[in-house]
Amino acid sequence: MSRAEFIEKLQRALAGGLNSSQVAENVRYYREYIDCEVSKGRREGEVIAQLGDPRLIAKSIIEANKRAGASYGSNKEYDEEMASDTQGWNEDGQIAQGKRIMLPGWLVMLIVTVVVILLIGLVTSLLSVFAPVILVGLVVVLIVKVFQSNSH
């Protein structure tokens, strides 16, 4: 089995039981482990054979997370993301294009909420600072309009 096949099988097996950040963290670990062992002079096939079946590794990781009380469950969004992102990996299991940062959905919603709240706060504070100026300007324009209409 090649490195790319090992990593793909591991990703698929983990995606059924972990959230996307946990999957990415575990895949990154095994990718780095294989790279490290190969850089020590071991053959890639030997390292992968020693690791064993990626589905069994994934099952062990998922079970360990369950016992540790970590969040788990199928992550359909991650599967779809991985399906569209697999073109970015070359045959050696290394990134062939720009790296994509994947955030969990709850974190994206939290960031969006914070940004919206900050924007609302900024607009309100700007209005409170400029409201007197705007009101005075409107009163001046109203007075000018009244005098112009009276002069005709």
Side-chain angles (χ1 to χ4, degrees):
M1 175 183 324
S2 72
R3 175 190 323 211
E5 291 171 324
F6 178 88
I7 295 297
E8 183 180 345
K9 286 181 181 180
L10 182 64
Q11 285 174 331
R12 293 284 171 212
L14 288 171
L18 299 177
N19 66 42
S20 57
S21 63
Q22 291 170 322
V23 172
E25 181 181 328
N26 282 284
V27 167
R28 184 176 30 256
Y29 170 81
Y30 281 96
R31 215 178 247 128
E32 289 173 1
Y33 176 80
I34 294 169
D35 289 342
C36 181
E37 292 299 309
V38 168
S39 71
K40 291 178 184 176
R42 294 181 63 195
R43 291 189 334 258
E44 181 179 299
E46 176 187 336
V47 174
I48 291 171
Q50 180 192 15
L51 286 172
D53 186 352
R55 290 176 297 225
L56 291 176
I57 294 171
K59 184 176 179 181
S60 299
I61 293 169
I62 292 167
E63 288 301 316
N65 276 324
K66 284 181 184 178
R67 283 192 297 275
S71 65
Y72 59 92
S74 179
N75 193 337
K76 185 176 179 183
E77 290 176 15
Y78 181 79
D79 284 340
E80 293 166 358
E81 184 76 25
M82 286 310 301
S84 67
D85 195 36
T86 52
Q87 297 109 9
W89 299 100
N90 64 20
E91 294 169 358
D92 295 330
Q94 296 179 358
I95 298 175
Q97 300 175 13
K99 188 171 185 173
R100 174 180 274 168
I101 297 174
M102 295 170 36
L103 299 174
W106 66 268
L107 183 58
V108 172
M109 289 303 294
L110 179 66
I111 291 170
V112 168
T113 304
V114 168
V115 168
V116 167
I117 290 171
L118 288 175
L119 286 175
I120 291 171
L122 177 67
V123 168
T124 11
S125 60
L126 285 175
L127 282 177
S128 67
V129 168
F130 291 112
V133 175
I134 294 170
L135 286 175
V136 169
L138 288 174
V139 168
V140 168
V141 168
L142 182 63
I143 292 172
V144 168
K145 290 280 185 180
V146 168
F147 280 123
Q148 283 180 349
S149 64
N150 284 341
S151 64
H152 290 187

